[in-house]
Amino acid sequence: MHVAILGLGEAGTLYAAGFVAAGVELTGFDPADVPTPGGVRRCADIAEAVRDAELVLGLTGAKHALAVLQQAAPAMRTGACFADMNSGSPDLKAQLARALAAHGDLLFADVTVIGSVPAHGAATALVVSGPGAEVVRDAFAPLGAPVDVVSDRPGDAARRKLLRSMFMKSLGASIVEALTAAEAAGDLDWVRGQIAGQLADGSVGMDRLADGTAKHGERRGHEARAAAQMAAELGITPTMTRAAADLHLGLAQSAGRLEDSLLAAYQGLPTANIGDARQRLGLLASAIRPMWPGAAVVGRAHTVFCRAGENLGLTQALETARPGDVLVVDGQGDVARALMGELIAERARNKGVRGMVIDGAIRDVTVLAEIGFPVWARAVTPAGPYKFGPGWVGRPVAVGGVVVNPGDLVVGDDDGVAIVPAAEAEQTLLDARTIETDEAGRRAGILAARTEASA
């Protein structure tokens, strides 16, 4: 059997290990710079990965599921099965099934994972529905995974998963909240003992729920929101589930940072392609331009506000910046005084800051080019700044007509600067790479036509 895995993160790696042990041929694709699991032939794109596969596993997250399926379906062999293993709503699963059906004789399976994949690996229990359910059961049974086939209707498995999630996500959220309060009160050990005493697997289960809530906050938060929506449609008021969703997403926002592997995957990707992928949104005004030719940067936004002509906020930002950050400065568009120059640039480099985007003016551009520190700004002036403030760091700012939140993705090149909300970074990468490939093919065709015409 040939299985294609789309998404080579933690879950994809664990499933790959199970299939390799069972002697299954594996191909895979992931746009991020994540390690390739052993035994997987990594492909350049989705189409290559799925081309000869009998079973395709979608492990890219619910928010990317439709886009991934639409890229995979045209390349899949007749009779193959697409198994969506993401935690999504019944409506999403039904939508995926309809999208797949538009591409001919292909099978769809709605697959939900019941349990901890890190704990149980490829043997984690599954609930499956849809026309391709039997294909999934036959593929996973040799891996030791209990597979419960509930119906041939896409969405039925997702519904059961969300009903379970109403309890599990609320339990995890309650544990995290209680432990956080206990630590603040100085009673952490006592509260841990109380919680562990109520769980069948004691402290092991408690830590798994707490750690998973923090580690997978965004994914589980969206899953809890989907569960709350489903409950509301059933006429139930999902008070606890909505609260659990808010806690998960809050943890993701406060602790989550774009992974270095994702930043690396954006290296060299033109801002023009990123803008096209986001319907021309998130591109800073053209007045904010690179201060030297060839400047390029990819990093996380560390947001700064400076009153016109003042750089106190920028000074504060240098104290809190972390490696991989790009300082994004709302200087209120003032160009009378430079907010930074070579000395601030050197201090920023010492902190691991990758560059700056400033809605204002700068100076010392020749030195900035010599040391290779990329900066985008509105103007250059030799006049230095005042340092009385006010200024602050870590709040949303407006720069070049775009609202930038802390942690957003920042990509800059000779054309300008693109801002991508952190939650959309993975999907935007897929879409932008697709556009880049398409444009390269079209350009090659134009060049070939010109060559033929001149021959």
Side-chain angles (χ1 to χ4, degrees):
M1 188 176 194
H2 178 180
V3 175
I5 301 177
L6 305 182
L8 301 176
E10 181 180 30
T13 297
L14 292 170
Y15 280 118
F19 280 115
V20 167
V24 173
E25 178 186 358
L26 292 176
T27 52
F29 173 76
D30 198 306
D33 186 23
V34 296
T36 303
V40 175
R41 178 172 64 84
R42 190 164 187 157
C43 299
D45 54 36
I46 289 176
E48 180 187 352
V50 306
R51 187 162 291 121
D52 298 315
E54 298 156 75
L55 175 63
V56 178
L57 306 183
L59 288 163
T60 56
K63 63 184 177 182
H64 308 312
L66 181 59
V68 169
L69 182 143
Q70 289 173 330
Q71 293 180 58
M76 290 174 61
R77 58 186 286 182
T78 300
C81 176
F82 188 100
D84 183 76
M85 301 185 68
N86 302 301
S87 296
S89 69
D91 287 345
L92 173 61
K93 299 287 185 161
Q95 181 185 12
L96 295 174
R98 291 192 298 269
L100 189 70
H103 292 275
D105 187 15
L106 299 171
L107 300 174
F108 179 78
D110 166 14
V111 183
T112 62
V113 182
I114 306 298
S116 170
V117 177
H120 305 292
T124 307
L126 304 175
V127 174
V128 191
S129 67
E134 300 296 335
V135 176
V136 173
R137 183 179 62 185
D138 292 345
F140 279 85
L143 310 186
V147 181
D148 181 11
V149 176
V150 295
S151 77
D152 61 358
R153 293 185 301 275
D156 283 358
R159 182 172 295 105
R160 290 196 176 186
K161 173 64 178 286
L162 292 182
L163 290 170
R164 179 179 183 272
S165 294
M166 292 181 69
F167 166 72
M168 293 300 296
K169 301 306 178 284
S170 296
L171 178 60
S174 296
I175 289 174
V176 167
E177 193 167 74
L179 292 178
T180 302
E183 185 173 19
D187 288 321
L188 180 59
D189 291 341
W190 184 83
V191 172
R192 281 179 56 86
Q194 291 294 305
I195 296 173
Q198 303 303 314
L199 300 174
D201 47 359
S203 61
V204 173
M206 175 184 62
D207 289 338
R208 184 178 67 248
L209 287 167
D211 293 344
T213 297
K215 181 178 181 180
H216 304 292
E218 183 176 356
R219 176 176 62 79
R220 293 186 179 184
H222 288 298
E223 182 180 329
R225 279 192 175 172
Q229 178 63 32
M230 182 188 70
E233 292 170 355
L234 293 171
I236 306 299
T237 302
T239 304
M240 299 299 294
T241 309
R242 284 174 178 160
D246 289 345
L247 187 143
H248 279 81
L249 293 172
L251 286 173
Q253 184 175 7
S254 62
R257 279 167 62 84
L258 294 170
E259 294 181 359
D260 289 341
S261 60
L262 184 59
L263 298 183
Y266 268 91
Q267 294 289 343
L269 184 61
T271 55
N273 292 153
I274 296 170
D276 289 349
R278 300 197 63 244
Q279 306 300 310
R280 281 72 174 177
L281 298 175
L283 299 174
L284 269 56
S286 58
I288 298 178
R289 62 190 188 279
M291 293 291 97
W292 48 271
V297 75
V298 177
R300 310 173 186 89
H302 189 43
T303 54
V304 186
F305 173 81
C306 293
R307 189 171 68 174
E310 303 270 356
N311 77 345
L312 180 63
L314 189 51
T315 302
Q316 294 172 344
L318 293 176
E319 300 299 322
T320 56
R322 293 189 282 178
D325 284 349
V326 175
L327 302 190
V328 180
V329 184
D330 177 0
Q332 299 192 292
D334 180 75
V335 296
R337 296 192 171 275
L339 299 186
M340 62 83 65
E342 61 176 302
L343 296 181
I344 285 182
E346 293 288 12
R347 290 175 59 193
R349 292 176 71 197
N350 288 346
K351 296 283 290 188
V353 171
R354 296 183 176 182
M356 295 187 190
V357 177
I358 300 176
D359 199 341
I362 71 162
R363 64 185 183 181
D364 301 331
V365 292
T366 301
V367 178
L368 297 181
E370 289 175 354
I371 66 176
F373 188 75
V375 178
W376 288 255
R378 282 189 182 270
V380 178
T381 177
Y386 297 110
K387 301 179 180 295
F388 304 112
W392 54 76
V393 178
R395 305 181 195 174
V397 294
V399 175
V402 175
V403 174
V404 186
N405 289 287
D408 283 350
L409 177 71
V410 183
V411 183
D413 59 18
D414 281 329
D415 284 347
V417 178
I419 303 296
V420 181
E424 300 176 22
E426 291 184 10
Q427 182 61 53
T428 298
L429 176 63
L430 288 171
D431 295 341
R433 286 296 184 195
T434 299
I435 291 170
E436 182 185 38
T437 301
D438 176 67
E439 288 188 353
R442 289 160 58 192
R443 184 170 185 269
I446 293 170
L447 294 176
R450 187 169 68 201
T451 301
E452 292 175 4
S454 61

